[in-house]
Amino acid sequence: MRFLTFSLLLLSIHFSFSQDFNFSAIPKELLNNSNAVYRWDEIAVKVNSIDKMEYTIKKVVTVLNKHGNRHAYLGKYFDEQTKITNIGAVIYDSFGNKIDQIKKNDFSTRSAVDGFSLYLDDKLMYYNYTPIQYPYTIEFECQIETSDTGAVPQWYFLSGYLTSVEYSKYTITYPSKKFRPNIKEKNLDGFELLKTEKFNNITYEARNIQSIKKEELCPSFNEIAPILSVRLPEFSFKGIQAKVNSWKEMGDWINEELLKGRLELSQGTVETAKSLVRDIDDDLEKAKIIYSYVQDNTRYISVQVGIGGFQPISAIEVDKVKYGDCKGLSNYTRALLSAVEVESYYVHVEAGDEKIDFEDDFPDLLQGNHAIVAIPYKGQYYWIDCTSQVHPFGFLGDFTDGRKVLVVKPNESELVTTTSYLNSENLKRTSAKVNLDSLGGLEGTVSVQTQGIKYDQHFYLEGKTKKQVADYYKNYWGNVNNLQLESYSFENDRDSIVFKEKLNIEASNYANKSGERLLFGINPFNKNRSLPKRYRKRNSPFVIQRGFLDEAEFEIKLPEGFDIEAIPQSLHIENEFGTYKVSVEELENANTLLYKRYFLVKHGKFPKEKYKTYREFQKEVLKMDNAQVVLVKTKTN
């Protein structure tokens, strides 16, 4: 159903913009550092009742290059509760001439998760447009009706880095004060915004928002971009009504309405679970065995929370087909744990490389894109991600670590911060004993031990082929010329979460010959290879999310017939960003150099004014890591 006021508004938009699709009409300042320019970006939401909402999306985007094509995406998900009543697009060339019109009948429809019968109710209506020239402009309109009012669309005035906006508008209309939405405004300072509120209508408008260029080590986009989060205090989701004003209430609702009755398993599976832990009394040991069973007997399909709903597929269904998304596998694991009398909780989390917390004062369903499990044991939580078939029990890695999540507990749901891996916990320790020959060749043994996030970056090697492993080290130690991996072995201690690599290597021409001299880098296996990017004018603060500690100790036996002409001096730097210590000494009567390196980088958020100082710190590290030893042939009388 299309309501008149929106129809008139969209009609006026079309006519007002019909003369402005020419690329040359875009203000020059909006073209700077932009892959796409949103000429018009609007969503108009109308809440009719607790279980009826409709909204219209309208965007006019000029795509400047291939990197901006994602902003021309033409598609929308829908399900049994959500109907796409109208959808269409018009394509214009750089001069504003219409070159294509795409009607609703031209759009295709497919399952959101093809090939998996559990999720056939969720579908995607889409059209794949292939541009034939740049720039081009796409005008897209979509109208939606839904009975799910628990997920009111939030609004990003900027749709990502390197995009700018001429005009942006968000409107929400509601029938009475009872339905007045809660709106959380984030990062609106410094932008040209206009907010208008009437009896049953709230409108935000923004003009001429220049693009944000992503800077190295910058905070997450959510921390710096202007955003509106919107929720209704009373809503309906999948036919279930709720009144939520706190995370506790949100957790209670999820527990009672979305999770209840979903832990049932067949008697045969219950008996299988019990047999796995027979004669084991410790709950944590039971949990480890169950987690291993899930890893070995199920597979993960990627269905983001929100697609497929927020309700997990029942445990008995997952057990039957042996696959599931994060929600289904988490619920299934909890069912198996319950069968062996181990307590566990369903956890909703915003997963990804960037740490994004749930907002303490704003409980809504749109926060979070992933589900994991928490197991309480002796006063602490052990976290498991049931979608991973390789991670050890209790290790989250950088996908869900160190962020506020919703732990769903009967009458006690709460926000809790997951395990953080910080500073020296993210350890890489490298040791080596190598021989340098008179021609500059290098051979010997190297050992690498990793923990924390460093473990996450290395342990996957044990699943690689011999060629893949060899190629990895050639790239990892790209500063070592002609590196050959003679043999290797790995030890993955999944209980302590420590990964050990032992390698025998050879390399010809590691040292450079210059007349009577040999020159070689003192640090072949543990050096920094790049600097943080230099900015003439830094715009954002910078964040070191986790920090790390790299330790190294190398013994380098020198070739006979050479004397040491020059070795690097010792260095010790200590500041708010970390510590760097390095020393080189000649072992007495051994014709051997002993190199030691200690490099600690601390996690933290720092003002943009300190970025230059941090970069200088890293520059000193890089310089010293590249320091060389000079050997000269022994003079004979």
Side-chain angles (χ1 to χ4, degrees):
M1 175 180 176
R2 181 195 288 251
F3 45 100
L4 181 62
T5 55
F6 282 5
S7 300
L8 292 175
L9 175 61
L10 291 170
L11 188 63
S12 68
I13 291 169
H14 178 78
F15 286 129
S16 67
F17 254 100
S18 62
Q19 302 301 314
D20 295 331
F21 287 151
N22 194 315
F23 166 72
S24 63
I26 300 174
K28 290 183 178 180
E29 63 270 18
L30 298 184
L31 297 174
N32 293 333
N33 297 318
S34 295
N35 294 324
V37 180
Y38 279 73
R39 319 290 293 276
W40 191 284
D41 192 17
E42 179 180 15
I43 186 167
V45 180
K46 186 180 181 185
V47 179
N48 295 311
S49 64
I50 196 169
D51 60 355
K52 187 174 182 182
M53 179 173 69
E54 48 190 303
Y55 56 96
T56 299
I57 299 168
K58 169 81 174 187
K59 68 177 181 181
V60 178
V61 185
T62 297
V63 178
L64 306 178
N65 52 53
K66 65 179 182 179
H67 303 294
N69 280 332
R70 70 181 188 88
H71 297 282
Y73 174 74
L74 302 175
K76 188 67 181 173
Y77 289 100
F78 64 100
D79 56 22
E80 288 186 347
Q81 287 76 32
T82 302
K83 296 179 181 179
I84 300 174
T85 59
N86 192 26
I87 192 169
V90 182
I91 314 297
Y92 303 87
D93 65 16
S94 60
F95 299 103
N97 300 313
K98 184 166 74 173
I99 57 176
D100 199 1
Q101 182 160 358
I102 305 157
K103 299 180 180 179
K104 185 176 181 180
N105 290 339
D106 299 321
F107 282 73
S108 300
T109 299
R110 66 168 175 81
S111 171
V113 191
D114 285 334
F116 295 96
S117 60
L118 293 182
Y119 299 92
L120 288 180
D121 287 341
D122 300 275
K123 295 182 173 61
L124 171 66
M125 185 177 291
Y126 69 100
Y127 182 90
N128 288 327
Y129 174 72
T130 302
I132 57 175
Q133 62 181 6
Y134 297 98
Y136 67 94
T137 296
I138 188 162
E139 181 183 19
F140 174 70
E141 181 181 336
C142 182
Q143 294 177 327
I144 293 152
E145 294 180 354
T146 180
S147 60
D148 286 342
T149 57
V152 180
Q154 61 181 173
W155 190 242
Y156 288 78
F157 289 94
L158 285 172
S159 296
Y161 292 109
L162 302 180
T163 62
S164 57
V165 176
E166 276 194 75
Y167 181 73
S168 175
K169 186 176 183 180
Y170 181 89
T171 303
I172 182 164
T173 303
Y174 46 94
S176 65
K177 186 177 180 179
K178 173 184 175 182
F179 290 95
R180 185 187 185 282
N182 295 319
I183 300 179
K184 187 176 183 67
E185 303 172 350
K186 295 179 63 177
N187 312 316
L188 301 191
D189 292 342
F191 293 92
E192 185 184 339
L193 301 176
L194 175 64
K195 177 181 178 181
T196 306
E197 183 166 358
K198 299 179 181 178
F199 167 69
N200 64 339
N201 176 282
I202 302 173
T203 299
Y204 290 82
E205 296 175 272
R207 300 178 187 274
N208 299 321
I209 303 178
Q210 297 185 35
S211 67
I212 297 175
K213 189 174 183 181
K214 188 173 185 179
E215 297 175 315
E216 192 166 353
L217 299 177
C218 68
S220 69
F221 188 72
N222 280 35
E223 287 190 47
I224 58 179
I227 301 170
L228 300 178
S229 295
V230 185
R231 70 177 183 88
L232 300 179
E234 296 185 44
F235 61 85
S236 176
F237 187 79
K238 307 304 178 191
I240 308 167
Q241 294 188 7
K243 183 176 182 180
V244 169
N245 288 298
S246 68
W247 282 112
K248 180 186 177 302
E249 291 180 356
M250 178 66 78
D252 289 345
W253 179 76
I254 291 174
N255 190 60
E256 289 298 318
E257 300 294 350
L258 300 187
L259 302 182
K260 192 172 183 179
R262 308 223 140 230
L263 296 178
E264 181 183 351
L265 292 169
S266 69
Q267 189 57 39
T269 300
V270 171
E271 291 303 321
T272 296
K274 288 181 176 179
S275 69
L276 292 172
V277 299
R278 186 171 290 122
D279 302 325
I280 296 175
D281 296 324
D282 184 78
D283 283 353
L284 196 64
E285 292 305 313
K286 288 182 181 180
K288 289 179 181 179
I289 293 169
I290 293 298
Y291 179 60
S292 179
Y293 175 82
V294 172
Q295 288 183 309
D296 293 341
N297 289 277
T298 62
R299 59 194 175 104
Y300 167 62
I301 60 170
S302 179
V303 185
Q304 183 172 312
V305 168
I307 301 171
F310 292 79
Q311 186 175 56
I313 298 299
S314 68
I316 202 165
E317 286 295 323
V318 173
D319 188 50
K320 188 182 301 181
V321 298
K322 303 302 181 186
Y323 66 77
D325 64 358
C326 62
K327 306 183 298 293
L329 292 179
S330 293
N331 186 72
Y332 176 58
T333 303
R334 289 190 63 235
L336 291 170
L337 290 170
S338 178
V340 298
E341 299 181 344
V342 174
E343 188 176 19
S344 66
Y345 303 124
Y346 187 86
V347 179
H348 199 35
V349 55
E350 181 71 28
D353 292 339
E354 295 179 334
K355 297 181 181 181
I356 299 177
D357 290 327
F358 278 26
E359 302 278 357
D360 293 83
D361 59 348
F362 200 82
D364 75 323
L365 285 173
L366 289 180
Q367 295 183 63
N369 59 5
H370 190 53
I372 59 176
V373 171
I375 298 168
Y377 182 79
K378 294 185 178 179
Q380 71 175 86
Y381 286 126
Y382 286 80
W383 312 90
I384 53 175
D385 189 330
C386 306
T387 66
S388 173
Q389 294 180 301
V390 294
H391 280 93
F393 177 90
F395 180 70
L396 290 176
D398 62 7
F399 195 53
T400 52
D401 69 316
R403 63 203 75 190
K404 288 182 182 179
V405 302
L406 176 62
V407 178
V408 179
K409 304 164 64 175
N411 300 314
E412 295 180 0
S413 296
E414 59 180 342
L415 293 186
V416 177
T417 300
T418 56
T419 301
S420 297
Y421 306 104
L422 302 175
N423 302 337
S424 60
E425 294 174 315
N426 302 316
L427 171 67
K428 178 174 70 176
R429 182 177 288 121
T430 309
S431 59
K433 289 187 177 182
V434 295
N435 301 315
L436 184 71
D437 65 35
S438 59
L439 297 177
L442 196 69
E443 64 85 21
T445 61
V446 185
S447 298
V448 182
Q449 177 179 311
T450 48
Q451 298 171 211
I453 297 303
K454 296 286 188 177
Y455 170 94
D456 208 19
Q457 297 166 355
H458 283 247
F459 84 99
Y460 69 90
L461 285 169
E462 68 175 345
K464 300 295 184 182
T465 66
K466 185 174 181 179
K467 182 181 184 307
Q468 289 172 327
V469 170
D471 289 344
Y472 165 81
Y473 287 112
K474 286 180 181 180
N475 178 67
Y476 184 55
W477 290 321
N479 54 291
V480 179
N481 297 328
N482 308 309
L483 178 75
Q484 296 295 319
L485 183 62
E486 297 300 308
S487 63
Y488 66 90
S489 64
F490 299 138
E491 180 184 337
N492 188 1
D493 186 338
R494 294 173 64 88
D495 290 325
S496 300
I497 312 181
V498 175
F499 189 67
K500 295 179 180 179
E501 308 157 50
K502 294 183 179 180
L503 321 161
N504 289 303
I505 60 97
E506 287 186 1
S508 59
N509 302 317
Y510 174 67
N512 296 316
K513 294 188 69 176
S514 178
E516 299 288 301
R517 291 173 173 78
L518 280 178
L519 295 83
F520 65 92
I522 189 62
N523 181 1
F525 305 116
N526 187 236
K527 67 194 302 183
N528 271 16
R529 290 193 282 175
S530 62
L531 270 179
K533 188 174 180 179
R534 179 175 176 267
Y535 297 96
R536 292 184 181 276
K537 182 184 177 183
R538 176 86 184 190
N539 294 310
S540 66
F542 66 101
V543 176
I544 301 170
Q545 285 204 84
R546 297 175 180 87
F548 62 84
L549 173 60
D550 279 359
E551 292 183 321
E553 183 171 312
F554 308 147
E555 290 184 17
I556 303 175
K557 188 171 181 59
L558 305 179
E560 298 291 338
F562 282 84
D563 295 324
I564 297 172
E565 184 175 77
I567 62 174
Q569 297 296 309
S570 297
L571 181 65
H572 184 178
I573 305 172
E574 193 158 353
N575 54 39
E576 63 183 308
F577 309 117
T579 302
Y580 179 74
K581 293 187 292 186
V582 64
S583 65
V584 185
E585 62 178 297
E586 185 178 5
L587 297 182
E588 189 175 355
N589 300 321
N591 196 33
T592 298
L593 293 179
L594 176 63
Y595 172 82
K596 293 183 178 181
R597 178 182 186 267
Y598 178 99
F599 184 34
L600 171 69
V601 174
K602 299 177 182 178
H603 84 286
K605 184 175 181 179
F606 304 91
K608 62 183 180 182
E609 292 79 12
K610 292 187 176 183
Y611 181 80
K612 183 178 179 181
T613 305
Y614 173 72
R615 187 176 182 277
E616 288 297 321
F617 172 50
Q618 290 280 6
K619 190 174 182 180
E620 283 294 311
V621 172
L622 182 63
K623 179 182 176 181
M624 197 64 188
D625 279 356
N626 285 300
Q628 290 197 324
V629 174
V630 181
L631 305 181
V632 62
K633 276 191 175 182
T634 304
K635 292 182 179 181
T636 57
N637 295 325

